[in-house]
Amino acid sequence: MTRFIERFAGHLADAGMQRMAARVFITLLSEDTGRLTAAELADALQVSPAAISGAVRYLTQVNMVVREREPGSRRDYYTLNSEDLWYDMITQREQLVQRWDSVLREGVAALGETTPAGLRIRETAAFMDFLHEEMPVFMKKWHERRARLLQEWDMSD
């Protein structure tokens, strides 16, 4: 399990995620309950509680993990933010892409539509428009596939 966590976390780090945050995320993803305390995470990853604190702060800020506390308990639990985590993460990113649209259009106007730089920015805006148009279709297909998979997996147990 440790090898898997380190390898997957390494790939996420290569894609730009903070390395410790990636390790914490994959540890939670790999846990049957999807829920661990900071002490359990520190023990599992053999790191200091301070390292866990920084990682979960980042993960909560980007909505990948939520902090929970049971009534009467002083312990915080960290859990994955959603049952359909990847869908939610992509949807949030798609909203970010939408916000870039007006800024990209300003860039085209400032650079000129036919200049080399303006053409690159226009192409970027067109790509973002394409993503925005196709994402609902893509995500609908994922929900349909996920429903089928969950049904198949329930039948095999």
Side-chain angles (χ1 to χ4, degrees), residues 21 24-25 27-42 49-61 64-70 74-82:
V24 167
F25 175 71
T27 301
L28 287 170
L29 191 65
S30 302
E31 172 62 33
D32 282 342
T33 64
R35 182 176 194 252
L36 294 168
T37 65
E40 291 168 333
L41 285 163
I52 298 300
S53 176
V56 296
R57 185 178 320 109
Y58 169 80
L59 291 168
T60 56
Q61 288 173 345
M64 294 175 75
V65 168
V66 293
R67 181 188 335 240
E68 298 175 346
R69 184 172 283 181
E70 292 181 2
R74 294 176 57 183
R75 300 171 86 186
D76 287 330
Y77 290 86
Y78 300 97
T79 185
L80 300 174
N81 191 22
S82 167

Side-chain angles (χ1 to χ4, degrees), residues 9 12 17-26 51 54-56 58-59:
L12 291 177
M17 183 182 253
Q18 297 174 0
R19 185 162 187 77
M20 183 55 63
R23 293 176 73 204
V24 167
F25 175 71
I26 299 305
V56 296
Y58 169 80
L59 291 168

